[in-house]
Every structure is written in structure tokens, then in C-alpha cells.
Amino acid sequence: MDMMKTELGRCFTTNKTVRAWVEKKARLCQPDRIFWCDGSEAEKRLLTEQAVAEGILIRLNQQKLPGCYYHRSSPNDVARVEQCTYICTETEEQAGPTNNWMPPKAMYAKLRAIYEGGMRGRTMYVVPYLMGPLGSPLAKVGIELTDSLYVVLSMRIMTRMGAVAYEHLGTSDDFNRGLHCMLDVNPERRYIAHFPHDNAIISIGSNYGGNVLLGKKCLALRIGSYLGRQEDWMAEHMLVLGIESPEGEKTFVAAAFPSACGKTNFAMMVPPARFKGWKVWTVGDDIAWMKPGKDGRLYAINPEAGYFGVVPGTNARTNPNAMEIMSRDTIYTNVGLTPDLDVWWEGKDGDPPKECLDWRGQKWTPESREKAAHPNSRFASPMTNNPMLAPEINDPNGVPISAIIFGGRRADTMPLVFQAFNWVHGVYIGATMGSEMTAAAVGGAGQVRRDPMAMLPFCGYNMGRYFRHWLNMRKLLRYPPRVFHVNWFRKDGLGHFIWPGFGENLRVLKWIVDRCRGRADADETPLGWVPGPHCFDIKGIPDFSHARLEQLQYINLEDWRREILMHDELFLKLYSHLPKELIFQRELLVARM
Ligand code: OXD
Ligand code: MN
């Protein structure tokens, strides 16, 4: 395929299944034009110009923010909508009690009636994309048909988009079929429907990232988790990072935190000054696909090629790498817009502008009661902007994972860190994870909800079977990763965070690495192993003491009685498919308490 000879927008794939499928969908959606994306720079220029001309993007101040653009979404369309998200399997039991369900036939018919003719007067963009490094046995191809230029340009950042996907696909028909129609972005007609048996997704009535960048939550997690169970691998809502010691020893860990709990910050952490010579490399900040390697270890790739991170709160202290990453070639969505076409958000370095437009486009001043940036405003930046991008990022085999870390946002109950006694206990810890809800999804912010493995909104099949899959993976691993739980968010009696977090989290990470490598001692508690008094370094943390550390690690039996009752609530819901091992783990925990 010679890209120089293809004319922008013209069909250039010879894959017959792809062509036939696109034609069929075009007959249904009836767009005025079909534009076949190739992922080239020329195409990016053309489509960006067009997006600016149509008012979809605003060109930001190119001196300050080269290659950066601004997008404002419809105010009714700013987060994932779990109530509109469906898993469409033959039986309800296959989708399980934690998913909305509808039989595929009924859902196909319902959606078709809505989107038929829905692209009239519009262009249908054919967006081929590859999730994972070219040639990786874990990589998957998707094709998204969309009438949103914002989606096309974002997919170009978030995935390996364009001809490379057709190259990986060859003549195969094994690709995810994704259809996205914005329609009138009406929440009443908003559906994000997954058809795991057909490897297909239909998303209508939204233009918000998590609902419409189909490679991310829809393919990489919901469909991915379903495929992973069939094919003996795991699709997880996890960041992956590498920690390198001054001696050059590198250890990779994967960590699952619910949405907007700091995965991006953790994945891009900068070691504190005391840790001279230490480096943290980012493999991924949101999703890991993991498969047992020939050597009996678990290997992970990041299927994505960009970051779609929460903006508010990001600054030179909380995430200096992200500040650099989003300083160029970035699409900002729903932040504040200053008169000189710069961006502003709550928590950014420096003084707020005297005046700007808020995420709704209304005048904002520092006195305004509303926020300038929506709490779930986002940046989409290519991973290649990351100064600490792991050199292994394009390795088709991925990186070997030594530790899996679970964590949530918990003001009480959960200590800073503990280690599971073994894999099954680790699965129990992941399965019973709880977290306060955030702005990443519509509804209930602040309430603690059970979010097993941070996958509650993303598991594409029955959650009980998903736990079974986790337990089964142990049999395929000679050297399973060690499992840990962390909580950066514990508060004291005055409501202040006890732990400083951010770069200081490296101290926790170092203990985890030392445990994996058999170098750090630990004390046994009812919850698991915790750092012994002499192997957790707190030197140099401002206003921190061993008494504070004890407060952080304190196990309050009263809180834990309540906590275990909440585990029961989830287990009751999943009872019919719950592996017995997890019930035994609960009994053991109660006995230890
Ligand atoms: C995300 C999310 O956008 O988890 O990554 O909501
Ligand atoms: Mn996420």
C-alpha cells in the first residue's frame, strides 16, 4: 500500500470484509460522503482545518500551546453514562447483575430504528485503528465509523490510527465493528451497546470520550475482557509503570484504581528529591492487556497510544510530566478558555485569569461560584509527548509484571498499603475494592461503592465469572505477580489527607518492589503484610512522622466490621456465580479479625 498515491478520504484498503461492512453501514446511516482515514499528517491537517472551520475545535494560542485545540461538549454530555451502557448477550445471566442487559436482536432493532438515516447531510469517517504495538500477539484491530470529527481527531491521538491497522489486519475479518452516530446528542436517545459475541459496538447520542472513543472503554475493556476470558488473557483497568533504581534495575507494576483516582498521576510520577537517580517510566495510564509469557510470568501491553486524562488538579506539583505532555498537540475538552486563547482550570499553576469563558462558554471570573473547568474536563495527548515514556512501549511482547496494585479513594478504613498473603487472597482484595465515586461517571459523586478491580463499569460479562477467570489465571502463571492494596486518600479527624501522595507515592512503590524482590520485611496483620517499622522510608517528607504513619496504617476493627458487611452486599448480588474461594477468603478474614 503506497500512502503517497492515495487521495485523502478515498478508500484504500483491499480488505473485502471491511469494504462490504462499511458499505452496508453506509446504506443504513445514509451519510452524504464517506471519508476513509489513513492516519497521515496531511489528513490530520485537512481534518483539523475543517474542524476549526466548523467550530468543532478552537485553535488555541499557538505560541503558548503549539498544536493544541479546544473543544466544548454539549453540557448534557460530559461523562460516561453507565445507565445507558449495555452488554447485549443472548441471556441476562451472561451479562450478569452488574451490567445493563438487552438481547442482541432487540438492541440491534431498537438502535437501528434510531440511527437509520442518522448521518444524512453528514460525513461518515472510517477510522481504522490498532490497539497495541504492531505485530503484537495481543494487539487487536477495530474500525470505528463515526460522524464526529472530534472523535476522528481524538482517535488519532488515542490509538495507532490509520493504514497501520489494515496492515495488521491483512485479509482477516477479525476486527471490532464500531458504529458511532452523534445524532442530536440527546441524552434520551443515548446508548452505548456492546455485542461481545459479534465483536461489535454501537454508540449513539453522545460525543463524550469514554462513550465514543470506542477503542478505549468499549473495545479495550468491555469487549476486551470478554475476549480475554475466551483466549486466556486479561483486559484490565490498570496503569502500567516501570520503576528503575539508580543501579538500573527495572521492575514493572500494574495498578487498578477506579476512574479519576489518580492513575494518570501515578503512572507519570516524578520521584521526590531524596530518591536521586530513581526513574519512573510510563507504559500506560489507564488500560493493560496482560497475557502469560513463555517464561511463566505475566506480560502487559498498553493497547492505547495516548492519554485521555482528567485536567483539574493537574499542575507542576501533582503531575509535572502531564503538564509537559499537554503543552503541545493536545485536544482540551471542557476546560476554561482565556481571552488570549490559553486554557485554565481549577488547580493549575499560577493565578487565575481575571476573566475567561467557562466550559459552558459563559463568562467566568475568580469570583464566580461555578467552576471554570468541568470536574471531568480532559486532555487528549499522544503518549510520544511523555518525557518518561517507557522505551519498551512498542515491544510486541510487553513488559513482565511483578506486582498488581489495587487501590481506591477511601477517607477511612483502608491503610496506606498492605500486601495480600497470596494470589487468591489478592483476588479477594481486588474483588471487594471500594471507592468514593468521582465525576468521571454521571451520578453519586462521593459515595463509597464496591468497584471490583476498578472494573465495575467495564467488565463485559458476568462479574462472578470474571472473578473465576482471575483465579484461573493463576494456573497459567509460574511466577504470578504479588498483589497489594494502597489508599492515598485516608483522612485524619480534621478531614485532612494524612499522606502527601503524588511523588511521595514512590516510597510505597519502593517497598512494593522490595517485597517482590524478597528484600523488604513485613509484619503480618489480619489484612495482610504491612511494612515493618524499619523498611519504609519516611525521611524528608515535610510534616510527617512515624506517628502519622501509624495513623495511616491503623486497622480500626469497628470500621472493618462495616467494611466486611459491605463485601457481603456485593457477594450477595453475585452469589450464583461467585467462586467459593472468595467466600472462604471472607471467612478467613473474619476469623483473623
Ligand atoms: C477514563 C475513565 O476516562 O475511567 O479513563 O472514566
Ligand atoms: Mn479509566
Side-chain angles (χ1 to χ4, degrees):
M1 186 170 9
D2 185 347
M3 293 307 305
M4 300 309 289
K5 289 200 192 107
T6 58
E7 200 180 312
L8 289 184
R10 291 283 289 273
C11 178
F12 62 97
T13 175
T14 50
N15 185 305
K16 289 200 179 72
T17 318
V18 172
R19 294 176 76 127
W21 172 70
V22 173
E23 274 161 29
K24 187 169 152 206
K25 288 296 169 204
R27 272 198 300 278
L28 279 171
C29 299
Q30 300 168 30
D32 284 8
R33 286 167 300 277
I34 301 180
F35 187 107
W36 296 73
C37 297
D38 64 17
S40 64
E41 281 300 318
E43 173 182 283
K44 178 186 172 186
R45 277 194 299 276
L46 177 82
L47 297 183
T48 304
E49 285 308 317
Q50 204 170 314
V52 171
E54 290 179 24
I56 296 164
L57 294 182
I58 294 174
R59 181 174 284 113
L60 289 169
N61 185 324
Q62 297 296 295
Q63 262 83 49
K64 286 189 176 173
L65 296 165
C68 293
Y69 291 83
Y70 178 89
H71 175 76
R72 209 175 263 135
S73 76
S74 162
N76 73 36
D77 189 30
V78 292
R80 285 184 292 98
V81 275
E82 290 171 14
Q83 66 276 24
C84 308
T85 303
Y86 285 78
I87 301 297
C88 305
T89 42
E90 286 308 325
T91 67
E92 186 165 8
E93 174 263 333
Q94 289 169 317
T98 59
N99 283 310
N100 299 313
W101 170 81
M102 205 188 276
K105 225 166 134 189
M107 184 59 103
Y108 278 130
K110 182 185 177 83
L111 298 187
R112 188 171 153 162
I114 303 175
Y115 73 70
E116 207 159 24
M119 290 191 189
R120 251 178 247 147
R122 302 177 62 78
T123 301
M124 174 191 267
Y125 297 91
V126 181
V127 182
Y129 62 95
L130 178 64
M131 300 303 286
L134 180 63
S136 169
L138 268 168
K140 301 267 178 210
V141 170
I143 301 182
E144 176 166 355
L145 308 178
T146 177
D147 57 352
S148 162
L149 261 178
Y150 170 71
V151 166
V152 177
L153 292 166
S154 301
M155 285 295 282
R156 195 180 192 287
I157 294 172
M158 294 305 300
T159 68
R160 293 160 172 89
M161 190 272 255
V164 64
Y166 294 132
E167 189 184 322
H168 189 93
L169 185 64
T171 55
S172 164
D173 62 359
D174 183 14
F175 61 93
N176 180 271
R177 289 141 172 84
L179 174 64
H180 167 236
C181 300
M182 282 169 67
L183 304 176
D184 51 356
V185 209
N186 176 354
E188 302 297 319
R189 300 196 300 173
R190 188 167 292 160
Y191 291 91
I192 297 94
H194 305 72
F195 305 87
H197 296 107
D198 300 335
N199 194 7
I201 305 158
I202 300 177
S203 168
I204 61 175
S206 172
N207 201 31
Y208 167 74
N211 298 328
V212 299
L213 307 178
L214 298 186
K216 195 174 182 63
K217 303 301 182 182
C218 301
L219 171 53
L221 288 178
R222 298 197 189 94
I223 301 277
S225 59
Y226 172 87
L227 295 174
R229 178 164 169 266
Q230 315 282 312
E231 300 166 2
D232 286 339
W233 54 278
M234 308 166 89
E236 299 298 334
H237 192 201
M238 291 180 180
L239 68 95
V240 177
L241 63 80
I243 169 169
E244 185 177 338
S245 72
E247 295 76 38
E249 178 192 78
K250 232 176 189 181
T251 310
F252 293 95
V253 309
F257 308 155
S259 306
C261 284
K263 283 207 300 299
T264 303
N265 290 343
F266 192 52
M268 297 171 185
M269 186 182 6
V270 173
R274 189 176 150 73
F275 284 73
K276 204 159 172 267
W278 288 80
K279 291 190 185 111
V280 172
W281 300 100
T282 315
V283 178
D285 77 327
D286 194 38
I287 297 170
W289 283 357
M290 304 191 287
K291 192 184 168 83
K294 287 198 186 71
D295 62 359
R297 306 180 70 185
L298 187 62
Y299 280 77
I301 61 161
N302 171 12
E304 302 190 276
Y307 310 118
F308 183 65
V310 175
V311 178
T314 309
N315 56 49
R317 182 181 69 91
T318 60
N319 195 338
N321 284 334
M323 291 305 289
E324 169 149 3
I325 289 166
M326 58 171 124
S327 67
R328 62 201 144 91
D329 300 318
T330 290
I331 300 178
Y332 288 92
T333 302
N334 290 343
V335 294
L337 181 64
T338 69
D340 68 340
L341 298 176
D342 195 353
V343 280
W344 173 256
W345 58 82
E346 279 68 25
K348 193 182 181 188
D349 300 296
D351 295 328
K354 286 197 184 60
E355 180 184 326
C356 72
L357 294 178
D358 71 8
W359 65 276
R360 289 188 188 86
Q362 283 159 9
K363 185 176 153 184
W364 181 93
T365 66
E367 286 72 47
S368 298
R369 300 230 327 250
E370 304 281 333
K371 296 205 184 308
H374 186 277
N376 192 37
S377 51
R378 300 277 177 150
F379 67 94
S381 310
M383 65 179 178
T384 46
N385 281 6
N386 186 348
M388 295 312 289
L389 184 64
E392 296 82 357
I393 194 74
N394 288 317
D395 186 334
N397 295 317
V399 296
I401 298 297
S402 296
I404 287 177
I405 306 171
F406 295 116
R409 182 183 284 273
R410 295 297 299 271
D412 49 43
T413 315
M414 283 295 178
L416 176 65
V417 59
F418 62 94
Q419 181 186 357
F421 293 119
N422 52 46
W423 181 263
V424 184
H425 181 219
V427 174
Y428 179 84
I429 290 168
T432 54
M433 243 169 80
S435 192
E436 291 158 23
M437 285 185 72
T438 64
V442 174
Q447 272 164 264
V448 172
R449 74 164 175 182
R450 293 297 119 190
D451 189 352
M453 281 86 173
M455 283 288 278
L456 184 69
F458 307 120
C459 183
Y461 61 101
N462 190 303
M463 189 61 96
R465 289 216 174 94
Y466 168 76
F467 295 158
R468 167 58 61 208
H469 180 51
W470 263 83
L471 293 170
N472 285 347
M473 287 304 291
R474 172 67 184 87
K475 299 179 195 136
L476 306 176
L477 295 167
R478 205 162 346 121
Y479 308 104
R482 306 283 196 255
V483 182
F484 298 81
H485 189 283
V486 299
N487 174 28
W488 317 135
F489 302 96
R490 196 166 191 176
K491 289 183 176 165
D492 62 16
L494 299 171
H496 299 138
F497 290 115
I498 308 175
W499 178 245
F502 303 110
E504 303 297 353
N505 293 339
L506 185 83
R507 297 169 191 264
V508 178
L509 202 47
K510 182 167 178 304
W511 181 73
I512 288 174
V513 167
D514 285 343
R515 285 296 291 169
C516 294
R517 296 193 176 266
R519 291 193 293 237
D521 58 8
D523 290 340
E524 192 177 332
T525 73
L527 301 187
W529 298 104
V530 300
H534 305 298
C535 59
F536 187 77
D537 179 9
I538 62 165
K539 275 191 219 88
I541 308 180
D543 305 323
F544 201 77
S545 60
H546 276 284
R548 285 298 259 181
L549 184 59
E550 252 168 53
Q551 203 180 356
L552 258 180
Q553 288 293 92
Y554 181 61
I555 300 169
N556 181 327
L557 292 183
E558 216 22 71
D559 286 352
W560 271 92
R561 247 186 286 282
R562 266 196 302 276
E563 181 72 13
I564 294 171
L565 284 177
M566 289 202 281
H567 297 179
D568 280 350
E569 264 169 48
L570 173 83
F571 280 7
L572 223 52
K573 194 166 168 188
L574 299 173
Y575 196 77
S576 58
H577 290 79
L578 194 68
K580 292 289 170 287
E581 289 89 327
L582 298 188
I583 298 173
F584 298 148
Q585 282 297 324
R586 182 201 173 278
E587 294 307 308
L588 287 171
L589 174 60
V590 170
R592 289 196 301 267
M593 288 281 169

